């Protein structure tokens, strides 16, 4: 397994995305996916996600230590899927304050952060809508189509 480091491309896509999805599996192999709106790249090797109301994700990460995170720019329909090791840092853990601080900056007083999912990816794969390959769409085409679909002038 190669040593993973976030690339500039992954960082740009993460900055362009508004929401991410955390996929986990239980010890019995039952899949779970949940949207996450408070997340960010913490350092060169770590992605952090706030646990606001995710008891199933928390239980699964504690049981398996694995996760997959996906994020896309909904207008361009491009992003990344990251897979790797996951740990759950509770509000009473020594690491919690340092990990939660940047997420609190994003959240303000809107959400209570109960814990932090600490993701250490070992693999990243680009996500690109099929229209790019099948229809030869450009980013401008995808943005225009998305704006029309979502009713945004």
């Amino acid at each position: 397994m190669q040593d993973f480091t976030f690339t500039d491309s992954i960082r740009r896509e993460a900055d362009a995305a508004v929401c991410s999805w955390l996929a986990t599996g239980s010890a019995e192999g039952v899949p779970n996916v949940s949207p996450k709106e408070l997340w960010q790249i913490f350092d060169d090797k770590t992605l952090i996600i706030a646990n606001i109301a995710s008891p199933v994700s928390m239980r699964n990460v504690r049981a398996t230590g694995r996760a997959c995170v996906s994020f896309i720019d909904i207008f361009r329909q491009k992003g990344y899927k990251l897979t790797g090791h996951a740990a759950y840092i509770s509000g009473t853990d020594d690491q919690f304050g340092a990990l939660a601080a940047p997420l609190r900056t994003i959240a303000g007083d809107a959400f209570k952060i109960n814990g932090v999912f600490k993701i250490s990816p070992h693999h990243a794969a680009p996500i690109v809508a099929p229209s790019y390959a099948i229809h030869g769409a450009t980013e401008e085409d995808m943005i225009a189509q998305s704006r029309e679909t979502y009713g945004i002038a």
Side-chain angles (χ1 to χ4, degrees), residues 1-63:
M1 181 183 327
Q2 289 184 325
D3 190 34
F4 181 89
T5 300
F6 284 103
T7 64
D8 289 342
S9 175
I10 296 171
R11 287 178 182 277
R12 276 191 306 275
E13 294 298 338
D15 288 344
V18 175
C19 188
S20 68
W21 293 266
L22 176 63
T24 61
S26 71
E28 297 78 26
V30 177
N32 180 67
V33 67
S34 61
K36 303 292 178 228
E37 58 184 302
L38 295 177
W39 59 281
Q40 75 173 179
I41 295 173
F42 183 74
D43 60 28
D44 287 345
K45 300 182 180 304
T46 311
L47 178 82
I48 53 174
I49 302 170
N51 177 14
I52 298 167
S54 299
V56 175
S57 296
M58 178 184 66
R59 187 170 51 245
N60 289 350
V61 164
R62 283 181 166 163

Side-chain angles (χ1 to χ4, degrees), residues 73-78 128-133 135-150:
D73 173 327
I74 61 168
F75 293 104
R76 291 176 26 257
Q77 297 185 34
K78 287 184 175 181
V128 180
S131 292
Y132 285 99
H135 302 295
T138 65
E139 286 189 2
E140 292 76 20
D141 295 335
M142 297 302 284
I143 292 168
Q145 179 62 43
S146 295
R147 289 184 171 281
E148 183 180 325
T149 298
Y150 300 123

Side-chain angles (χ1 to χ4, degrees), residues 87-122:
Y88 183 73
I89 311 303
S90 72
T92 59
D93 190 287
D94 291 342
Q95 296 180 57
F96 178 75
L99 292 171
L103 298 170
R104 283 191 176 120
T105 300
I106 298 167
D109 295 330
F111 298 103
K112 178 183 180 207
I113 298 173
N114 299 305
V116 175
F117 297 99
K118 182 180 176 184
I119 313 298
S120 302
H122 57 74

